[in-house]
Amino acid sequence: MMYGTPAIGFSRYLALYGLQACWVLLGGYLLTHAYWPSSCHPDGVIKAYGCSMHLPENRGWVEACLLTWLWSTPILVVMEIIRRLQKPKRR
């Protein structure tokens, strides 16, 4: 126990990183099964973000999920970095 905050147990540690691995696997699944519009076929990460606004044109659930996944992943990464960089407040 440190500064009134309990230590993270092994099960919470395993759940956190297990869910992160599942998130990456979900992205891989969506990337391999999505149909990109004929006007845009990305060949890199930067171009995928540029073409992602055209994904809903196919009106499929995989494409809609991929659009959400692409734009929420950087937000989640930044939140994790901020969480790790914050110093614990001493009382």
Side-chain angles (χ1 to χ4, degrees), residues 21-87:
C22 289
W23 184 256
V24 171
L25 290 174
L26 173 66
Y29 172 82
L30 293 172
L31 282 169
T32 58
H33 289 84
Y35 292 105
W36 292 90
S38 60
S39 62
C40 193
H41 290 285
D43 53 358
V45 176
I46 301 299
K47 193 160 183 183
Y49 277 96
C51 292
S52 67
M53 290 302 148
H54 299 287
L55 281 170
E57 293 173 4
N58 291 335
R59 300 178 189 244
W61 70 270
V62 173
E63 291 79 16
C65 290
L66 179 59
L67 174 69
T68 305
W69 187 90
L70 279 172
W71 287 98
S72 62
T73 299
I75 295 168
L76 293 172
V77 169
V78 168
M79 287 173 45
E80 178 67 17
I81 291 170
I82 289 171
R83 184 184 72 84
R84 289 191 175 267
L85 293 178
Q86 284 181 341
K87 294 180 180 179

